């Protein structure tokens, strides 16, 4: 009876194994009946009253019931709803007891003639149920106990080729989906950035719209008081006009040295030396409309200090004079150097021709002035030596003089010797010194207005050397230093009439005895002409009426000294820009 109890246990364990291993019900032998070991008789009932004989119908119903539950669960877990064979477990567990087989001992791995693999003890128990008609539990192939063959292997793993193909397909699909997901995440990040940029642009456009609306309203109702300093009232045809500048913007710009204003595109181009970039020279484009957007342009490597910067009046090009013996034409649209001229000496100044879009000029350290035609990129069209070998620190293209002829182009230069006019395309090979300019001292700055041909030159005293036989310059003021680098100098007003220059007046001025300052002439229709310059003693930006040099406005500049000054008309509004140490102030 003990054998019968063991048989019952084995049968129940087999049912559990069949249900776990997902063996289809149609592979379960129809005559699956468990009997006790070494007994051909079937007992009806054990001592506990439990039936020992399990009929084929009952066995099959139990198997099918468990298999139905497992099958429904498997169908929920498998996405493609395809039935997965249980043969992938053959390489790991005995399909009867669902325990790992061993390489030796009672549960050593073995096989039947049909090829199915089992643990030795499990298949022996199975075949002993029917000594005369033993069958394989999986395929019902007839076999005997003597047909069992031991397998001598440490581990057997059977790989299902169909499952492997499916795994490879799913892995490939996962990799594709991961790649697509990464691309979509990247696009999503770009979309977020684009959305942020668009929101910023919308806000900036709104601010600009409000600014323009305020400007339009202010142009219709002019204020009666000045924003800063006194105002000048001029009388023309019985009407009063206010020359009134007010501070509109104050920008921090590191390492700024020079700038120019593009009235067409409403922007400023600034030449900077950036210490964080190893002293590299860069151009910075700044919008004149709030919030004053900035954009940097890198200059070619090896570009040395920029001595002069001039924007073209015809197109979005900037002309750069460099100590690296180069004259460059840079496009502010593409940020590329479209032309580069090698010079015989360092360039100190440059200018566009205001009557010819192809002609440009360069003033050199050795006193020469060169004329270039941008259509000829190999060499200058004409070069002229100066009266001395002193550097040409300022160049201005002059308005046309009909008396000289249509082919003559005139340029006004400034050096320590004074003011000179250069006529290119004519018979003269030397410049002409403007009378009386050599007797004023050392010329350090020249402001010129092509609208009115008004010129204001700034001078400082010549340095007196002990025992010098040259007569000292007659000055209506003493020439001793005031404090630091400030000395008494002068501003002299000239009026150009054709090829002649008329002296119109002068005034004393506090100028720097080392630096070369910048100044500007402010011409406006139906208004008096103003002259803007820096006062080295007070650090103020001073506006003076011409020709009397009466002070009409003063602005306190937070940083000193003033490096550059520019004036331009934009949309019928005057704009005066002042560049000092790392600060750019806008006055309207």
């Amino acid at each position: 009876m003990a054998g019968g109890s063991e048989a019952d246990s084995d049968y129940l364990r087999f049912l559990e194994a069949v249900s776990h291993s997902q063996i289809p019900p149609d592979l379960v032998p129809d005559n699956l009946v468990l009997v006790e070991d070494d007994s051909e008789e079937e007992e009806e009932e054990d001592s506990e009253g439990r039936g020992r004989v399990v009929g084929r119908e009952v066995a099959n119903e139990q198997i099918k019931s468990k298999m139905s539950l497992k099958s429904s669960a498997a169908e929920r877990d498998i996405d493609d709803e395809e039935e997965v064979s249980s043969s992938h477990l053959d390489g790991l567990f005995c399909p009867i007891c669902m325990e790992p087989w061993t390489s030796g001992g009672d549960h050593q791995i073995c096989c039947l003639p049909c090829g199915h693999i089992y643990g030795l003890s499990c298949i022996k128990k199975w075949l002993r149920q029917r000594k005369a008609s033993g069958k394989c539990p999986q395929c019902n192939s007839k076999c005997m106990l003597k047909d069992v063959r031991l397998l001598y292997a440490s581990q057997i793993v059977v790989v299902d080729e169909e499952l492997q193909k499916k795994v490879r397909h799913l892995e490939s699909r996962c990799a594709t989906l991961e790649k697509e997901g990464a691309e979509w995440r990247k696009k999503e990040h770009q979309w977020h950035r684009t959305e942020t940029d668009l929101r910023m642009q919308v806000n900036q456009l709104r601010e600009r719209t409000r600014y323009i609306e305020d400007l339009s309203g202010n142009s219709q109702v002019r204020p009666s008081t000045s924003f800063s300093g006194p105002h000048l009232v001029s009388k023309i045809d019985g009407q009063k006009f206010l020359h009134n500048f007010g501070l509109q913007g104050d920008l921090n710009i590191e390492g700024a040295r020079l700038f120019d204003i593009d009235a067409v595109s409403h922007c400023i181009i600034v030449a900077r030396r950036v210490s964080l970039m190893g002293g590299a020279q860069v151009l910075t484009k700044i919008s004149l409309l709030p919030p004053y957007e900035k954009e940097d342009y890198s200059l070619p490597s090896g570009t040395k200090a920029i001595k002069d910067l001039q924007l073209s009046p015809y197109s979005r090009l900037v002309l750069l004079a460099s100590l690296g013996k180069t004259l460059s034409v840079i496009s502010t649209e593409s940020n590329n150097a479209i032309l580069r001229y090698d010079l015989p000496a360092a360039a100190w100044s440059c200018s566009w021709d205001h009557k010819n879009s192809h002609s440009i000029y360069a003033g050199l350290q050795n006193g020469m002035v060169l004329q270039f035609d941008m259509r000829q990129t190999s060499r200058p069209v004409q070069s002229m030596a100066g009266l001395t070998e002193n550097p040409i620190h300022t160049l201005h293209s002059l308005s046309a003089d009909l008396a000289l002829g249509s082919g003559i182009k005139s340029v006004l230069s400034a050096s320590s010797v004074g003011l000179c006019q250069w006529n290119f395309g004519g018979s003269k090979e030397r410049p002409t010194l403007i009378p009386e300019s050599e007797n004023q001292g050392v010329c350090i700055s020249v402001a010129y207005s092509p609208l009115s041909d008004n010129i204001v030159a700034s001078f400082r005293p010549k340095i007196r050397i002990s025992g010098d036989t040259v007569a000292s310059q007659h000055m209506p003021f003493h020439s001793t230093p005031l404090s630091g680098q400030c000395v008494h100098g002068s501003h002299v007003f000239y009026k150009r009439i054709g090829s002649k220059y008329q002296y119109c007046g002068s005034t004393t001025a506090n100028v720097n005895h080392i630096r070369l300052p910048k100044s500007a002439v402010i011409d406006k229709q139906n208004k008096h002409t103003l002259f803007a310059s820096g006062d080295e003693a007070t650090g103020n930006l001073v506006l003076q009426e011409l020709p009397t040099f009466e002070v009409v406005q003063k602005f306190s500049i937070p940083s000193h000294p003033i490096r550059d000054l520019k004036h331009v008309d934009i949309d019928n509004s005057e704009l005066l820009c002042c560049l000092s140490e790392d600060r750019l102030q806008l006055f309207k």
Side-chain angles (χ1 to χ4, degrees):
M1 298 302 293
S5 177
E6 182 180 356
D8 290 343
S9 176
D10 289 341
Y11 178 75
L12 292 176
R13 186 169 56 183
F14 173 71
L15 290 181
E16 186 70 18
V18 170
S19 62
H20 282 297
S21 61
Q22 300 181 1
I23 299 177
D26 55 358
L27 295 182
V28 179
D30 294 335
N31 59 348
L32 179 59
V33 178
L34 185 64
V35 297
E36 62 180 273
D37 275 344
D38 301 326
S39 177
E40 297 180 359
E41 296 182 0
E42 300 177 359
E43 295 185 7
E44 295 280 335
E45 191 174 87
D46 62 4
S47 60
E48 297 178 357
R50 183 178 60 185
R52 292 190 175 277
V53 178
V54 181
R56 179 178 57 199
E57 292 81 8
V58 176
N60 289 342
E61 285 299 326
Q62 292 178 352
I63 294 173
K64 290 178 180 180
S65 175
K66 292 189 177 183
M67 288 302 300
S68 176
L69 294 175
K70 297 297 290 185
S71 176
S72 61
E75 288 177 356
R76 289 193 301 268
D77 295 337
I78 300 175
D79 294 337
D80 55 6
E81 299 182 357
E82 294 182 358
E83 185 177 355
V84 180
S85 173
S86 63
S87 59
H88 64 285
L89 298 176
D90 292 349
L92 301 175
F93 306 103
C94 171
I96 295 178
C97 66
M98 291 302 296
E99 296 292 336
W101 43 52
T102 61
S103 59
D106 293 340
H107 205 247
Q108 182 176 349
I109 185 172
C110 64
C111 70
L112 299 181
C114 61
H116 290 109
I117 303 175
Y118 304 95
L120 180 61
S121 59
C122 292
I123 195 61
K124 280 184 177 181
K125 290 179 181 179
W126 173 261
L127 292 176
R128 284 171 182 166
Q129 297 177 42
R130 298 284 184 172
K131 295 183 178 180
S133 58
K135 293 183 179 180
C136 174
Q138 298 187 53
C139 66
N140 284 339
S141 298
K142 292 184 178 182
C143 60
M144 302 296 289
L145 189 59
K146 63 180 181 178
D147 296 327
V148 177
R149 296 290 183 268
L150 294 177
L151 299 178
Y152 299 94
S154 59
Q155 184 178 6
I156 294 179
V157 177
V158 179
V159 177
D160 191 314
E161 184 63 24
E162 293 298 326
L163 287 178
Q164 286 298 103
K165 290 181 179 179
K166 186 174 180 180
V167 168
R168 288 193 292 267
H169 171 72
L170 293 177
E171 288 178 348
S172 175
R173 186 177 177 184
C174 288
T176 302
L177 292 176
E178 288 179 358
K179 183 177 180 181
E180 291 178 355
E183 292 177 354
W184 281 112
R185 287 191 295 271
K186 183 178 180 181
K187 289 182 179 180
E188 182 182 11
H189 180 66
Q190 293 175 349
W191 291 335
H192 283 307
R193 292 185 58 183
T194 303
E195 182 183 8
T196 303
D197 294 340
L198 290 175
R199 290 183 184 276
M200 291 180 60
Q201 292 178 15
V202 169
N203 293 333
Q204 292 169 0
L205 289 174
R206 287 175 179 171
E207 292 183 7
R208 292 182 182 182
T209 301
R210 288 195 295 267
Y211 173 76
I212 294 174
E213 289 175 352
D214 295 341
L215 191 62
S216 300
N218 292 336
S219 64
Q220 295 177 2
V221 182
R222 299 293 297 273
S224 59
T225 58
S226 172
F227 178 88
S228 174
H231 59 267
L232 169 67
V233 179
S234 61
K235 295 182 179 181
I236 301 178
D237 297 333
Q239 296 182 0
K240 294 182 179 181
F241 297 88
L242 297 178
H243 292 263
N244 210 14
F245 282 92
L247 181 64
Q248 295 292 318
D250 191 347
L251 309 177
N252 290 325
I253 307 178
E254 178 196 357
R257 296 295 181 265
L258 300 162
F259 75 97
D260 202 357
I261 306 173
D262 187 347
V264 177
S265 59
H266 293 76
C267 68
I268 297 177
I269 303 297
V270 183
R272 301 195 301 132
R273 183 179 183 272
V274 184
S275 58
L276 295 179
M277 299 173 60
Q281 303 289 328
V282 300
L283 296 181
T284 300
K285 181 179 180 181
I286 305 174
S287 172
L288 286 174
L289 298 177
Y292 306 112
E293 298 173 339
K294 299 178 183 179
E295 183 179 4
D296 289 335
Y297 297 91
S298 298
L299 293 175
S301 59
T303 302
K304 294 187 178 180
I306 305 299
K307 294 294 292 183
D308 200 3
L309 177 152
Q310 300 292 331
L311 277 166
S312 170
Y314 310 102
S315 56
R316 294 180 180 179
L317 300 176
V318 59
L319 187 62
L320 299 178
S322 168
L323 290 182
K325 298 182 180 181
T326 58
L327 182 68
S328 303
V329 180
I330 309 292
S331 170
T332 58
E333 291 182 321
S334 62
N335 191 25
N336 292 324
I338 62 174
L339 283 176
R340 180 184 174 91
Y341 295 101
D342 293 327
L343 306 175
W348 276 56
S349 57
C350 58
S351 176
W352 296 88
D353 194 312
H354 291 282
K355 297 299 179 182
N356 189 315
S357 61
H358 302 294
S359 295
I360 54 179
Y361 305 91
L364 306 187
Q365 183 173 331
N366 60 5
M368 297 179 63
V369 175
L370 278 59
Q371 179 193 18
F372 294 90
D373 190 323
M374 294 175 60
R375 296 167 295 183
Q376 301 178 14
T377 59
S378 58
R379 57 183 177 276
V381 175
Q382 188 176 353
S383 60
M384 296 176 62
L387 301 179
T388 66
E389 293 185 355
N390 295 332
I392 305 297
H393 59 74
T394 308
L395 276 182
H396 291 289
S397 173
L398 298 175
S399 59
D401 183 2
L402 299 179
L404 296 176
S406 59
I408 305 299
K409 299 179 177 63
S410 299
V411 176
L412 177 68
S413 74
S415 64
S416 60
V417 71
L419 304 180
C420 291
Q421 178 171 323
W422 309 65
N423 296 324
F424 289 91
S427 58
K428 290 185 178 181
E429 297 180 355
R430 301 277 285 182
T432 301
L433 185 65
I434 295 177
E436 300 300 325
S437 67
E438 77 279 10
N439 297 326
Q440 301 295 331
V442 178
C443 182
I444 56 175
S445 176
V446 174
Y448 169 70
S449 171
L451 181 65
S452 60
D453 276 335
N454 290 326
I455 302 168
V456 178
S458 301
F459 297 86
R460 64 171 171 241
K462 290 184 177 180
I463 299 176
R464 291 185 175 88
I465 302 175
S466 178
D468 192 355
T469 58
V470 179
S472 62
Q473 305 296 327
H474 173 70
M475 304 291 286
F477 42 80
H478 63 85
S479 59
T480 56
L482 296 177
S483 62
Q485 296 181 348
C486 179
V487 296
H488 279 302
S490 65
H491 299 314
V492 181
F493 178 35
Y494 295 92
K495 182 73 173 180
R496 176 175 176 257
I497 305 173
S499 297
K500 297 182 179 180
Y501 294 82
Q502 178 181 353
Y503 172 85
C504 298
S506 64
T507 185
T508 59
N510 298 319
V511 299
N512 193 289
H513 80 282
I514 296 177
R515 292 179 53 257
L516 299 175
K518 300 290 184 179
S519 55
V521 173
I522 302 174
D523 271 335
K524 183 70 175 177
Q525 189 177 6
N526 295 335
K527 289 186 179 180
H528 284 188
T529 300
L530 300 182
F531 172 65
S533 63
D535 188 320
E536 290 289 332
T538 62
N540 292 334
L541 172 61
V542 181
L543 303 184
Q544 297 170 281
E545 180 191 1
L546 294 177
T548 62
F549 287 100
E550 178 185 355
V551 176
V552 296
Q553 274 190 292
K554 289 183 179 180
F555 297 95
S556 178
I557 304 301
S559 55
H560 192 70
I562 296 175
R563 292 189 174 274
D564 204 354
L565 280 173
K566 290 290 189 306
H567 170 267
V568 70
D569 285 343
I570 298 181
D571 298 333
N572 296 322
S573 178
E574 296 179 73
L575 179 66
L576 178 64
C577 298
C578 176
L579 178 65
S580 55
E581 289 291 339
D582 298 334
R583 300 287 290 274
L584 179 63
Q585 292 185 300
L586 312 178
F587 300 93
K588 270 195 176 181

